Every structure is written in structure tokens, then in C-alpha cells.
Amino acid sequence: GIQDRYLLDVVAAVREAGGRLARERDASLPEVAGAPTIDLEGAAVIDVDSTPVEAGARAPTAAERAAASKAASLVPDRGCVQVGIGTIGDAFCEALAATSTRGVTIHSAMLGDGALALAGAPVLGDAHPLGLAPMFASSLIGSRHLFAWAAREPRVRLGHTSDVHAVKVTAGIDRFCAVNFALEVDLAGNVGAEAVGGRVVSGPGGQLDFATGACAAPGGRSVVVLASTTPQRPSRPRASRIVERLSGPTTTPASRVHFVVTEHGVAELGGRTLAERATALVEVADPAFRDDLRAAAAAP
């Protein structure tokens, strides 16, 4: 992964320049099996005891829960799932944990608190298609409860991003399901997950990597989940997240998306024409915006 290579290059450059290396050893951070390390032999050790940085999460809205539940129904038995973190990610994991699906494993860039729901449910299997741990990821982002649990959970293992993100890895995973989130989806099925209306919200992360792997994997599925509208605020009315054109960069092109899911349903895009995609996407948009979207789709 980029992060792995960057850190290795920095360490090598410091050593070649005759510089000194130092590393912090934080007593407050639990050790998770498989966590990647960098050779820092000879580096000075600075012992610290800090408070782990936690990622706070708000409660999901009813629309987000409904969309997450519909997305969870797309995961097949013995599916291997990548899922983004955050509110919808946690809601998806909770919904998946409540399904009758069995033998599911996780292969994801990040594990969030939603992993706790899966760990205690019969949905989680013990046989990763590549012989890895049932919950394999490159990092943990969430609460201190998540960190402490992962340190003592034998089914969790961390690895280098290059062993998690790489398309050559995920394309070889049977039934690999990439479940990602979006700010907007246009009528062609292109996904914007970085900026909206000129305002940068996030980075691309590994979304395109995982979506590409899912499209190449045997029985793979690339799923994008979002609420159909933005939240209602006093200073800003609701707006449709299914749009005629993206207002920011394309994070994942339509060719790498099989399904778009909102609280109103599932739009199947794989193998469909542009006109068929637009029709399917209009049907999962909020009803208040469908007429305008249909008119935009029909315009020459």
C-alpha cells in the first residue's frame, strides 16, 4: 500500500542521510495480532502513555438503517465483505449480523465498531477464502472498546495495506463483496465520495481498489450505499443524492458498480445500458425528486 511504501522510504532516506530515528512506544495502545511493523533497529525509544484517539460516531438515521439493511441482504452465504467505516458502515454490520446469511468473513481496509456486532452473531464464519483470519484488515478506527476487543480476539488479524487493498488479492477472493458509501451517485451510476458542491468531505481511500476487485472476483459484488437525500436543516433544504451529474470528482466509475442501494430500494446496474441504469436509479431516489430526474434522463 501507499502508506507502507511511504514509511519505508522515509526510514530508508533518514538512514542513508546519517540521521537519527526515534519511535514512540505507547503503553495505552493494545497490541493486535499481525499489526504491521517497520524495522527501527537502533532507534531511540520514547515511552508515552496517551489516550487513544477515538473516532466518534453519530446514531444512524432511519433512512441510513433502511439502506444498510437492504445492502446487507445482497451478501451471499460465505461472502467475504469489505465495508467502509462510519455511521452507515456500523449500521450495515448490525443489519448483516441479523440476517440468516452464514459463513461470512471480512477483508477490509478498516474495522470499525460495527465489527463487534458481527463477532457476536452466527453470520460470521471461520474460513476466509484465502486462508486468512475471519476478520482481516489493515487498521482499526473506532472506540477504545473496539481496540481492547481486537487485541484479545483471535479472529482478528491486521496486515499491510498492500495485502488488503491490492486488486490482485481481492480479485482472487470468491464472493468478494465491496460495500462502499457515497455522497452522490449520478444517473449513469458514477459515484462521488470525496466532495459535494465544491466542498471536500473525504478522500477516495480504497473505494476504487475494492470495487475493482469485486468486479473481477468470482461471484463478486460491488455495492454502493447511501441515503437518498441530504439531511433537512434550517438553513439548507433537503437535496437528492441521486443527481443528474456529480458536483465533485468521480471516485468510482459506473463500470465498477453493480448495485446502488438507498432506503427506497436496490438499483441493479451491472450489464445494463445507460438508459436502463438511469431508470433504475430514479426508482431508488426520493419520490419528491423523481420527476425532475426522469426529465433530466430523457433530455437529449
Side-chain angles (χ1 to χ4, degrees):
I2 293 173
Q3 294 169 324
D4 299 336
R5 292 194 298 269
Y6 174 75
L7 291 172
L8 291 170
D9 289 346
V10 168
V11 170
V14 170
R15 283 184 167 146
E16 289 173 8
R20 300 181 63 189
L21 295 168
R23 66 183 177 94
E24 286 188 352
R25 183 167 56 196
D26 195 335
S28 68
L29 292 178
E31 294 185 9
V32 180
T37 59
I38 296 174
D39 179 14
L40 292 174
E41 184 178 355
V45 177
I46 303 170
D47 285 308
V48 298
D49 191 354
S50 62
T51 302
V53 176
E54 297 181 84
R58 61 173 174 79
T61 64
E64 289 170 334
R65 285 193 184 279
S69 179
K70 288 177 171 58
S73 70
L74 296 174
V75 177
D77 285 340
R78 300 188 305 283
C80 186
V81 179
Q82 170 266 325
V83 58
I85 61 166
T87 299
I88 298 183
D90 289 345
F92 170 84
C93 289
E94 292 170 5
L96 181 59
T99 66
S100 60
T101 306
R102 294 294 180 265
V104 171
T105 52
I106 303 298
H107 185 104
S108 199
M110 301 172 186
L111 283 182
D113 280 76
L116 298 169
L118 291 174
V123 66
L124 187 66
D126 57 8
H128 188 293
L130 300 183
L132 303 170
M135 304 180 98
F136 185 65
S138 59
S139 59
L140 303 170
I141 296 186
S143 67
R144 278 180 287 182
H145 183 46
L146 170 71
F147 305 153
W149 165 80
R152 63 176 186 271
E153 175 53 70
R155 294 174 296 179
V156 172
R157 190 169 184 86
L158 300 183
H160 282 280
T161 55
S162 53
D163 296 327
V164 179
H165 284 248
V167 173
K168 66 180 180 182
V169 174
T170 55
I173 298 177
D174 189 39
R175 299 184 181 91
F176 181 61
C177 298
V179 181
N180 289 299
F181 315 125
L183 298 169
E184 297 178 322
V185 176
D186 72 16
L187 289 176
N190 298 304
V191 177
E194 301 167 61
V196 60
R199 182 170 63 94
V200 176
V201 177
S202 184
Q207 183 174 128
L208 180 57
D209 294 335
F210 289 120
T212 301
C215 288
R221 295 180 174 184
S222 173
V223 182
V224 173
V225 190
L226 71 167
S228 66
T229 66
T230 60
Q232 177 78 45
R233 294 192 173 97
S235 60
R236 190 174 9 175
R238 286 193 315 153
S240 179
R241 293 188 186 275
I242 306 297
V243 297
E244 181 182 0
R245 294 184 183 86
L246 298 181
S247 63
T250 298
T251 305
T252 300
S255 61
R256 297 294 180 267
V257 180
H258 291 137
F259 301 95
V260 172
V261 184
T262 75
E263 71 273 25
H264 298 294
V266 178
E268 186 171 355
L269 306 186
R272 294 191 170 187
T273 66
L274 283 172
E276 290 169 340
R277 290 179 192 172
T279 297
L281 286 162
V282 168
E283 292 306 310
V284 300
D286 186 276
F289 299 95
R290 289 178 188 172
D291 287 345
D292 287 344
L293 289 168
R294 285 192 188 97

